[in-house]
Structures are given as structure tokens and as C-alpha cells.
Amino acid sequence: MKILGIESSCDECACAVVEDGRAILSNVVVSQTEIHRPYNGVVPELASRAHIELIGPVYERALKEAGLGLDDIDGIAAASRPGLLGALLVGLSFAKALAWSRGLAFTAVDHVRAHLYAPHIENDIPYPYIGLLASGGHTLIARVADFDNIEVLGTTIDDACGEAFDKVAKFYNFGFPGGAAVDRLAKDGDARAFSFPDPVLNKGEHRCDVSYSGLKTAAVNQLDKFLNPGYEKTPANIAASFQKAAIDILLRRLFRAVEDTGLRRVVAGGGVAANSYLRAALAGRNDLQVIFPSPVLCTDNGAMIAATGYELFRRGRTSPWTENASARVAAFKRRYP
Ligand code: KG4
Ligand code: ZN
């Protein structure tokens, strides 16, 4: 089954063709970085407009690179939530129109579930495992029992992990996109320069929850308070210390989830999973089996949408033409969605 996956939830316009959920025949990702760079952040209206211009050419490139025509495609999947509403609508409407015009199967895909599923494209991963998703919009630590059964163990009570990277990078003008800029800069810094605080909420049902507003405030407004003697307040030192603090917050909760569930397999996804400090820290845990997707499958891409769509089609699940986009996912507590 060859599935076309379309992703337009934020500032990446992406189309991919994936066969049987595993073989990536093409994976075209056009980033709008240059459009949003002057603002040091994604401007939703500009993103929607750029998607409208990009979606046709990106789709055509994806088919061309796969060496296929639309007649060779068995089904079309598109991200429908969560994300920027106008941006999502472009990809979703394009997918529905394309599928309807050719009588092809169509399914909407939850973007968070697609991030969690992305590592399965390159690896045979048995269930259950601890899923770790950290991106610009979401932070989730979950017990993934099977494809459909995602028990939320922890999430953020304020900002997402990637969002904290983006905000700190924006404040200090480290570059855009923020996460990758901090990661790069941190390589020249000393993470011992600042001792940023760890949020105290970690009792009872919040054992695996994270919070980033305190760290963000500390790094942005109270920097001097956390500077250790003998160290300098350089951009690289700020980046290295912030990165370590932000990722350690995530890791501490992740290890609690490992402890609570007894599961020793950790599967990571989302843009922050591209972070070099996170990758190195988890690689050092010989007691855990840790699976990371390739960096291109960590950040937003069409292949993860196509592969998730394949799993849905395989189970006979399609979406109606009335399927709509939504910016948010209705409140989830123990289960996602
Ligand atoms: O998954 P993604 O492409 O989009 C969302 O669904 O949000 O993730 C983007 C997020 C951004 O916040 C970006 O700053 C962060 O992932 N990110 C990183 C790195 N690369 C991307 N954060 C830390 N280190 C990185 N190397
Ligand atoms: Zn994403």
C-alpha cells in the first residue's frame, strides 16, 4: 500500500510517499524558516499563505521523487490536528480534494500520534514502551501499549519543551529556529556556568509532569541569580546551561516513568528528539533500549503522517469528507487523545 502523507500543521510544508508504513519512497519537506526569521517566530497568517503557495509544488515533487503518479497511490493521509488552524486547513483541504477527485481512501491523522509513531518507520519496535514526545507544541511521556493505546503518564503544565528553547533563543537572539540554534551554540559553552532550578511540581499525579515557565523566567529574567562563581555570562554558557536544565527536566520525569512502569524500552520523537544533549544522555543509559528516529523524522515531515495513515487504513479506518481541522486536542488526561 502506497500512502501519500501531507503535513502542514506549522511552518513545514511536507509531502511524502511511504509504502507499507516502512519504505520511504519520497519525503519532501520545505521549511518556511526564511519567511518567519525576521519575526524570530512562526507568524500563523504568513504560514497559511506560504502553505497555499507551496502545497502544489511540494506534492508534485513528492510524487516525482517517488517515481509515481497519483494513480499509483492507494490512500491519502493528512495532519488535521493539533496545530495552526489556517495552516492545517491548507494541507487537509488539499488532501481531501485530491482523494475525492480520484475516489481514493482518505484519513485525517493526529500530528502528536504521528510523531510518536515516526520511529516505527525505521525500526521494528515491539509494544509496550515508554514514548517520549517533545516538540515545539507538545510534551508527552506515555506508556504506549499498542498503536491505539496511549496512556499519558506526564505532560507539560505550561510551555512545551521546544517552546522553551524557542523563547529563550528569541530573547537572546541566538537564531531561528531556536532549538537547533541553542543546540549549536551550547557546544561551545559550559553547562556548569548556571545552575537553573528544577520545577518542584512532582508529587502524586504530577510525578511525570514537566513545567518550563520557571526555567524560562530564570533564564530570561533572573540570569545573574543563577550564575556560578568563576563562570562568565556568555551566550554559549547560557545556551549550554539552559539546554542541560531543560533536557534534565524531561529526563528526570522520563526515568520516573521507567521506574513506575518497569518498561525498559524508550522511544523518542518530535523536534526536541533531535537535540544532541538528549541523545547523548540517553545513549549513556545501558540499562535502557532507546530508539530515536533519524533527525529528519524527528521534526515535522510527511512520512510520519503517511506511515500513521497506513496503520489506520490497514485497520479499515478512513475519515469522512466532513472531517475538519482543529487547533487543539480536547483535554486529555490519562489517555491520548
Ligand atoms: O516536531 P517539530 O518540528 O514541530 C512541532 O510539532 O512543534 O518540533 C519543533 C520544535 C521547535 O520548538 C524546535 O526549537 C525544537 O523542536 N527543536 C530542537 C532541536 N531541533 C528542533 N530543540 C532542541 N534541540 C534541537 N536540536
Ligand atoms: Zn510536530
Side-chain angles (χ1 to χ4, degrees):
M1 231 185 168
K2 297 186 189 75
I3 307 300
L4 171 71
I6 299 180
E7 158 61 41
S8 68
S9 67
C10 192
D11 61 336
E12 262 94 33
C13 190
C15 291
V17 181
V18 179
E19 186 165 13
D20 297 336
R22 296 301 292 263
I24 299 178
L25 305 183
S26 65
N27 190 18
V28 179
V29 181
V30 174
S31 172
Q32 304 173 6
T33 304
E34 295 315 315
I35 295 172
H36 303 288
R37 193 190 299 282
Y39 310 93
N40 262 334
V42 177
V43 182
E45 180 61 20
L46 294 182
S48 310
R49 290 174 194 218
H51 280 303
I52 289 171
E53 287 178 9
L54 288 167
I55 190 76
V58 168
Y59 153 72
E60 278 166 15
R61 242 181 81 194
L63 279 190
K64 193 163 172 231
E65 286 182 16
L68 301 171
L70 188 53
D71 288 340
D72 302 310
I73 298 296
D74 300 298
I76 300 181
S80 66
R81 67 170 193 198
L84 302 173
L85 191 63
L88 281 166
L89 276 171
V90 176
L92 182 66
S93 308
F94 188 87
K96 284 200 286 188
L98 209 55
W100 184 80
S101 71
R102 296 290 181 109
L104 292 173
F106 158 74
T107 184
V109 168
D110 180 292
H111 179 89
V112 166
R113 284 188 56 172
H115 269 305
L116 277 171
Y117 189 74
H120 288 263
I121 299 174
E122 300 168 308
N123 306 278
D124 272 319
I125 309 174
Y127 294 100
Y129 55 78
I130 299 290
L132 170 70
L133 165 62
S135 71
H138 312 279
T139 314
L140 207 67
I141 296 170
R143 182 182 190 279
V144 183
D146 58 50
F147 174 71
D148 271 320
N149 201 330
I150 300 167
E151 184 193 343
V152 178
L153 303 173
T155 183
T156 179
I157 62 152
D158 39 58
D159 289 351
C161 183
E163 192 179 355
F165 273 86
D166 295 336
K167 284 180 175 172
V168 169
K170 182 175 181 172
F171 183 82
Y172 288 109
N173 251 314
F174 286 162
F176 177 80
V182 170
D183 197 344
R184 252 190 330 269
L185 197 55
K187 295 197 190 328
D188 300 322
D190 192 327
R192 292 167 302 185
F194 298 87
S195 298
F196 292 123
D198 187 38
V200 280
L201 102 161
N202 38 36
K203 302 258 160 55
E205 63 171 328
H206 288 301
R207 247 178 89 71
C208 298
D209 283 342
V210 299
S211 161
Y212 282 102
S213 68
L215 174 60
K216 188 195 69 193
T217 306
V220 166
N221 299 327
Q222 306 168 328
L223 196 59
D224 294 331
K225 200 170 127 187
F226 300 101
L227 180 64
N228 289 317
Y231 288 96
E232 271 183 72
K233 209 164 63 176
T234 61
N237 281 350
I238 298 171
S241 304
F242 165 79
Q243 170 172 274
K244 181 176 187 312
I247 298 298
D248 283 349
I249 288 175
L250 207 53
L251 288 174
R252 269 192 284 276
R253 277 58 176 189
L254 176 70
F255 296 147
R256 276 190 199 141
V258 165
E259 201 177 289
D260 292 355
T261 59
L263 293 174
R264 308 235 140 246
R265 188 165 28 250
V266 173
V267 180
V272 181
N275 184 266
S276 57
Y277 174 76
L278 173 67
R279 287 185 171 243
L282 283 174
R285 287 285 301 241
N286 296 327
D287 56 328
L288 300 179
Q289 181 195 5
V290 184
I291 299 157
F292 279 104
S294 305
V296 64
L297 295 179
C298 287
T299 45
D300 290 348
N301 65 87
M304 69 181 189
I305 305 295
T308 308
Y310 165 74
E311 288 294 338
L312 293 168
F313 287 135
R314 210 158 70 84
R315 291 165 169 80
R317 283 148 66 174
T318 56
S319 301
W321 302 122
T322 51
E323 184 76 30
N324 212 340
S326 57
R328 296 181 171 279
V329 173
F332 58 86
K333 201 144 190 207
R334 300 237 148 67
R335 282 181 60 87
Y336 188 90

